[in-house]
Amino acid sequence: MSLLTQRLRVLPFLPAYVALYFLFLYLPILLLPVFSLNDAATTTFPLAGFTTKWYASLAGNSVMLQAAWNSLVVGVAVSLLSTVLGICAARAITRYRFRGQRAAAGLIMAPLFLPEIIVAVSLLMIVLAMGVELSLITVILGQTVFCVPYAMSVLVSGFEGFDRSLEEASYDLGETAIGTFRRVTLPVVAPAIVSSLLVTFTISLDEFILAFFLSGTEPTLPVYIWGQLRFAAKLPGVLALGTVMLVASILMLTLTEILRRRAERRTQMAFTLP
Amino acid sequence: MADRPMIEIANVSKFYGIYKALDDVSLTIGEGEFFSLLGPSGCGKTTLLRSIAGFETPTAGEIFIDGVPSLALPPNRRPTNMVFQNYAIFPHLDVAENVAYGLKRLRLSAQDERKRVGDALDQVRLTGLGQRKAHELSGGQRQRVALARALVMRPKVLLLDEPLSALDKKLREEMQVELRTLQKAVGITFILVTHDQYEALALSDRIAVMFGGRIAQIASPKEIYQRPRTRKVADFLGGMNFLKAKVLGEQGNAVSVDAARFGAVSLDKPQGFAATNGHVTVGIRPERLRLLWDDDRAPHELAGRIENRAYFGEVTHLTVGVDGLEQPLSMVETNNFGADDLPVGAEIRLAYDPEAFVLLAEDPPVTRV
Ligand SMILES: Nc1ncnc2c1ncn2[C@@H]1O[C@H](COP(=O)(O)OP(=O)(O)OP(=O)(O)O)[C@@H](O)[C@H]1O
Ligand SMILES: [Mg+2]
């Protein structure tokens, strides 16, 4: 029996394996919305009945709302900050050639591969050693370090399609520097920038370890959820909150992907010569 | 050359650090002229073109565009438009928006604008493709968009940086014809950068051949091909048999030389003519040597032996050894009479016309820094 026929025999099991794999991956997440709509304080089957009261309870939970607000502030700040830094880095890497370029790019990407908890502990040590008080600002700074690599990789692929001669063509056709930035530079790289904002916001929104170490007395949503898990009675509320966050994340990532594809389609052909 | 000068380049030099990309370049291009800058890679063609467009600032010299000293003007205030080598089509705009890009600043009425865009698209044979996106166009179509986008501005001078080099051979030849037709139709000055000598010969009214940041010769295609001034120019424009010849004497504008086995030849004296040790270099193009068959007779004949043969479809390239010549001669023969069937080693006779020889000046030494 040849190797090929051996392989073919295993093949019928492949779809089953894939199905199992996805089940294992996504079933727990699917349970989240299911139990969040269940009229019982425990997460056990059979389901007790349909209710939206857990969602209603969220609205009146001022501590939770404060945490959500913190998360929003942190998320917006982190996404703006890391995208701005990412733009600088991506432009440097795609537009210029300089000594140590590869090393610089590598160092910027490094936080992606370092254990997050190690980074968190080191940052905490430094912050404490410097006598800085833990606050949302320290969370923002910590998460920015972490998000810049994501921002940069999204932006680099966006900028790579951007050719210097586009700006020159615009000047050549009579446009001013400001007009060129507005009519050419910005529209061409805008999808990449929006993608970067969305990706980094999403990452910040559910980042836990850095926020846990660096947030002090102002919890972000993940830190708040972590605190609530100690009280069994709070669980359904947490599930409802988790569902809301899940839906928000999925929406944002979908939007990002749509934008990325649109940008890709645009730049793809415009510069590839026949 | 047309009557009125449109571009005057006066003693322009450009340094990149200590590297001299342009070395005291001076030339005048007439209104409505199709002018080509021809030269090998790195000779400074693009630098000169971009200096005219305003993207490079020469270190010394002045550029007059239609009489106006223009070095102080930014690209957006010069009456020139450029077709970029990679076309630089705006990827976020469709074809019509690309073409209308520069018109937006003129604040035309919507109707006028639409008319001008439509006319420009007709001109480059893109009628009806206005709604296409850049990524939906073929290479040739993108090239046309770039042309239309520049022409719609009604520039006094259109600058083209190797516009056809990205196209395949067939399309390139088609576009050459179109470019020439288009230039005649719009009647404005075209300045074309190319390293393809056939393109320059086929399209231009005049050609400037450049080497190492300097102009080696400016002339019409015919003159530059038939009467190249220096050995390098001759070599760059096509095959050439070079011979060392002894100067026999000078009378007025003519020099007579002893061209080895070709005998005594009288030649026009080029400007700046100088013999070294009584010797000069002369050249004759391969196609000016002709095979003689059987009983053919010619006033000037030479016997030789075929050393090598290369078949090119319509022509055959022959390398012919002649006793008493240092180098074998290259010849190009049409295949109508069976030149492709001649075996290597065959004894042949060839005819030449002493008038076809050119006297070549020494190339200036390459001094960079
Ligand atoms: N920005 C720059 N900095 C340094 N040197 C440059 C710069 N631009 C061009 N050069 C150099 O100047 C010389 C002329 O360049 P240019 O681009 O004008 O050549 P070219 O004739 O257009 O060649 P090609 O046919 O390869 O396009 C080249 O040797 C090039 O390396
Ligand atoms: Mg060039």
Side-chain angles (χ1 to χ4, degrees):
Chain A
M1 198 162 61
S2 79
L3 198 67
L4 183 68
T5 46
Q6 274 182 21
R7 290 247 170 96
L8 284 176
R9 281 204 169 186
V10 185
L11 237 117
F13 297 104
L14 213 56
Y17 163 75
V18 172
L20 250 165
Y21 175 85
F22 283 133
L23 202 69
F24 186 74
L25 197 63
Y26 288 109
L27 191 64
I29 298 174
L30 279 178
L31 287 179
L32 207 69
V34 171
F35 282 116
S36 75
L37 293 168
N38 187 23
D39 194 3
T42 53
T43 54
T44 49
F45 287 105
L47 298 175
F50 180 82
T51 177
T52 54
K53 70 176 175 199
W54 307 120
Y55 287 89
S57 78
L58 287 182
N61 183 341
S62 63
V63 184
M64 193 282 300
L65 287 179
Q66 181 58 45
W69 174 249
N70 290 344
S71 268
L72 191 70
V73 169
V74 170
V76 168
V78 166
S79 67
L80 286 176
L81 214 56
S82 52
T83 299
V84 168
L85 293 174
I87 288 173
C88 299
R91 211 170 152 94
I93 279 169
T94 52
R95 181 64 78 74
Y96 303 103
R97 293 279 157 262
F98 54 90
R99 196 184 288 256
Q101 186 167 30
R102 292 171 73 95
L107 282 174
I108 296 172
M109 297 306 284
L112 270 186
F113 309 106
L114 295 174
E116 197 178 347
I117 188 142
I118 306 292
V119 178
V121 171
S122 353
L123 283 175
L124 181 64
M125 274 163 39
I126 290 176
V127 166
L128 292 181
M130 282 173 27
V132 177
E133 200 139 328
L134 292 178
S135 66
L136 289 184
I137 295 183
T138 49
V139 180
I140 289 169
L141 294 178
Q143 289 192 351
T144 300
V145 172
F146 228 74
C147 284
V148 168
Y150 291 97
M152 194 180 80
S153 43
V154 170
L155 290 163
V156 160
S157 57
F159 284 13
E160 256 160 10
F162 191 84
D163 192 301
R164 179 103 214 224
S165 60
L166 288 182
E167 286 173 353
E168 289 186 342
S170 169
Y171 293 130
D172 190 63
L173 292 165
E175 192 51 271
T176 58
I178 294 170
T180 296
F181 183 76
R182 189 176 58 78
R183 292 179 65 194
V184 175
T185 318
L186 209 54
V188 174
V189 299
I193 293 176
V194 175
S195 294
S196 165
L197 287 172
L198 287 170
V199 166
T200 49
F201 182 82
T202 312
I203 292 170
S204 163
L205 193 64
D206 59 31
E207 198 286 329
F208 172 67
I209 299 177
L210 285 165
F212 183 67
F213 276 75
L214 299 172
S215 62
T217 56
E218 300 167 282
T220 60
L221 265 187
V223 177
Y224 168 80
I225 289 174
W226 163 253
Q228 295 304 293
L229 288 178
R230 275 173 296 167
F231 314 108
K234 300 280 183 66
L235 190 58
V238 170
L239 292 181
L241 179 58
T243 306
V244 172
M245 286 176 69
L246 187 68
V247 170
S249 290
I250 289 173
L251 280 181
M252 271 189 297
L253 288 179
T254 310
L255 192 59
T256 312
E257 184 61 16
I258 291 171
L259 283 169
R260 195 186 62 77
R261 288 202 190 158
R262 245 182 50 188
E264 192 176 55
R265 205 157 26 94
R266 264 188 198 166
T267 45
Q268 210 171 39
M269 286 285 299
F271 298 103
T272 43
L273 295 168
Chain B
M1 189 170 102
D3 32 8
R4 202 161 71 99
M6 178 51 74
I7 299 275
E8 283 179 83
I9 293 167
N11 307 100
V12 163
S13 294
K14 170 74 184 176
F15 288 86
Y16 289 113
I18 59 159
Y19 182 79
K20 207 168 197 175
L22 291 177
D23 184 0
D24 197 22
V25 171
S26 293
L27 56 90
T28 304
I29 301 170
E31 186 178 15
E33 193 174 16
F34 199 128
F35 193 91
S36 293
L37 296 169
L38 174 67
S41 186
C43 72
K45 311 175 294 281
T46 298
T47 306
L48 186 56
L49 196 76
R50 288 171 57 84
S51 301
I52 299 172
F55 294 119
E56 305 285 350
T57 313
T59 318
E62 182 57 271
I63 294 176
F64 299 88
I65 303 175
D66 201 12
V68 180
S70 298
L71 282 198
L73 296 177
N76 53 341
R77 309 237 331 263
R78 297 191 187 196
T80 58
N81 282 111
M82 181 128 158
V83 174
F84 290 81
Q85 183 166 9
N86 64 359
Y87 312 141
I89 306 295
F90 302 124
H92 57 299
L93 303 178
D94 66 24
V95 168
E97 289 166 334
N98 261 282
V99 175
Y101 187 90
L103 295 179
K104 287 280 182 264
R105 285 191 63 81
L106 305 182
R107 306 204 181 288
L108 305 173
S109 72
Q111 195 185 355
D112 285 353
E113 183 181 303
R114 216 171 320 117
K115 169 133 183 21
R116 264 172 84 163
V117 170
D119 289 350
L121 288 177
D122 292 346
Q123 218 164 26
V124 297
R125 305 204 294 127
L126 280 180
T127 312
L129 293 189
Q131 309 316 311
R132 291 271 187 96
K133 287 282 190 181
H135 62 86
E136 297 165 343
L137 299 173
S138 71
Q141 288 171 331
R142 263 180 275 160
Q143 148 92 78
R144 289 160 206 265
V145 175
L147 269 170
R149 187 176 69 179
L151 285 174
V152 80
M153 301 305 293
R154 299 182 183 156
K156 291 179 177 164
V157 182
L158 186 71
L159 308 168
L160 306 111
D161 190 358
E162 310 222 14
L164 308 180
S165 64
L167 306 178
D168 60 55
K169 185 164 179 291
K170 195 139 178 74
L171 190 56
R172 189 162 63 226
E173 282 164 5
E174 262 175 57
M175 284 304 297
Q176 284 174 3
V177 177
E178 260 185 59
L179 214 51
R180 181 72 203 175
T181 318
L182 191 63
Q183 194 265 339
K184 288 285 159 251
V186 295
I188 62 170
T189 307
F190 275 36
I191 305 179
L192 172 80
V193 159
T194 180
H195 59 248
D196 177 343
Q197 73 274 23
Y198 297 112
E199 190 166 296
L201 290 172
L203 292 175
S204 325
D205 294 316
R206 284 192 311 151
I207 299 171
V209 179
M210 295 180 69
F211 294 112
R214 293 191 201 159
I215 305 263
Q217 185 171 5
I218 303 177
S220 69
K222 203 167 156 182
E223 187 179 343
I224 218 157
Y225 184 78
Q226 295 186 347
R227 301 270 151 220
R229 231 171 49 71
T230 72
R231 188 180 169 123
K232 259 173 145 174
V233 174
D235 212 18
F236 195 76
L237 275 129
M240 181 70 107
N241 293 297
F242 297 107
L243 301 168
K244 214 170 193 174
K246 193 168 175 318
V247 178
L248 298 173
E250 301 181 32
Q251 300 109 11
N253 240 354
V255 188
S256 80
V257 301
D258 174 18
R261 293 291 312 278
F262 290 96
V265 179
S266 177
L267 299 153
D268 287 341
K269 200 196 298 188
Q271 124 199 46
F273 165 77
T276 46
N277 300 330
H279 282 83
V280 288
T281 304
V282 298
I284 186 164
R285 295 257 179 230
E287 71 276 9
R288 302 304 292 265
L289 301 173
R290 188 164 53 85
L291 261 186
L292 292 174
W293 300 92
D294 306 328
D295 297 332
D296 289 352
R297 287 282 169 266
H300 300 279
E301 292 187 15
L302 219 51
R305 190 181 341 90
I306 295 181
E307 292 184 354
N308 220 328
R309 205 186 58 177
Y311 180 69
F312 281 88
E314 73 272 37
V315 292
T316 293
H317 290 203
L318 299 172
T319 313
V320 178
V322 176
D323 291 336
L325 286 185
E326 285 172 23
Q327 300 277 330
L329 299 170
S330 320
M331 297 178 59
V332 179
E333 275 295 313
T334 69
N335 288 333
N336 294 350
F337 309 108
D340 46 336
D341 288 331
L342 285 171
V344 169
E347 301 286 337
I348 54 117
R349 287 175 304 121
L350 56 90
Y352 64 92
D353 176 1
E355 299 277 299
F357 278 96
V358 277
L359 182 57
L360 299 163
E362 285 305 307
D363 286 284
V366 180
T367 53
R368 307 224 99 173
V369 162

